[in-house]
Amino acid sequence: MRTTEHSEPMSTARIDGLRTATAPVEPVRWVWHLAAFAVVLGAAVPLIQRYEALPDPYPIHYDLTGTADGFAPKSLAMVLLPVLIGVATTVLFAVVDVAQRHSARQRLARPQGRYDHLDWTSHRSGRIFPMGPASLLSAVTLAGAALPTLLGTTAAMTLVSGGVAGLVVLAVVGAVRSRRS
């Protein structure tokens, strides 16, 4: 079986062929995930309060100019679909955050190379991707997708574009930091 070779994470040292922690893996910062959950649920509140005033058929897709080009019969499930996707995404980001931190702790206790393909951390640097901020940016994106009928397409698409741009910046910064380590 082939093993992977990579440089050691900055927070580890080698003793008798095993990695040992010189700095502990930080715990999950739940405030990010709770903020993401609050943003997503915050988008649901006005939708539920103004459900009767929403148009039927309900616009579910907009083109790049902000004109609705996809419609569906109005139902609570259809109106809240971006919110439901946002809740599921927030939970998924939290689970991945816990898993990658657990993987980073476990990685320190086993020989280098063996089972490295199971790691949720960057192989080169051992860095952990910031899932909390990614969760919040994804929640902002999905809240914007849920609210164009209430905020107007320009404001809603600004939220969507801002969230997506933030996610791209976060990914690029993470990749650059990982390569430099």
Side-chain angles (χ1 to χ4, degrees), residues 67-99:
T67 305
D69 63 355
F71 298 89
K74 181 172 81 171
S75 68
L76 194 57
M78 191 55 62
V79 169
L80 293 178
L81 186 61
V83 172
L84 298 173
I85 293 170
V87 168
T89 303
T90 300
V91 169
L92 180 65
F93 274 110
V95 167
V96 169
D97 200 359
V98 170

Side-chain angles (χ1 to χ4, degrees), residues 73-143:
K74 181 172 81 171
S75 68
L76 194 57
M78 191 55 62
V79 169
L80 293 178
L81 186 61
V83 172
L84 298 173
I85 293 170
V87 168
T89 303
T90 300
V91 169
L92 180 65
F93 274 110
V95 167
V96 169
D97 200 359
V98 170
Q100 75 174 349
R101 289 172 195 284
H102 175 75
S103 178
R105 285 186 202 98
Q106 296 299 313
R107 179 182 205 184
L108 300 174
R110 61 180 181 257
Q112 182 179 4
R114 183 127 190 217
Y115 306 115
D116 279 355
H117 61 284
L118 300 176
D119 280 337
W120 287 58
T121 57
S122 171
H123 290 291
R124 290 186 178 186
S125 67
R127 288 187 180 269
I128 295 174
F129 188 79
M131 296 305 290
S135 179
L136 183 59
L137 289 167
S138 136
V140 168
T141 302
L142 289 162

Side-chain angles (χ1 to χ4, degrees), residues 6-14 19-24 107-108 122-127 177-181:
H6 58 279
S7 62
E8 283 293 306
M10 295 176 70
S11 62
T12 63
R14 306 274 308 156
R19 288 173 275 212
T20 57
T22 58
R107 179 182 205 184
L108 300 174
S122 171
H123 290 291
R124 290 186 178 186
S125 67
R127 288 187 180 269
R177 283 186 175 176
S178 180
R179 291 195 68 146
R180 286 186 182 167
S181 296

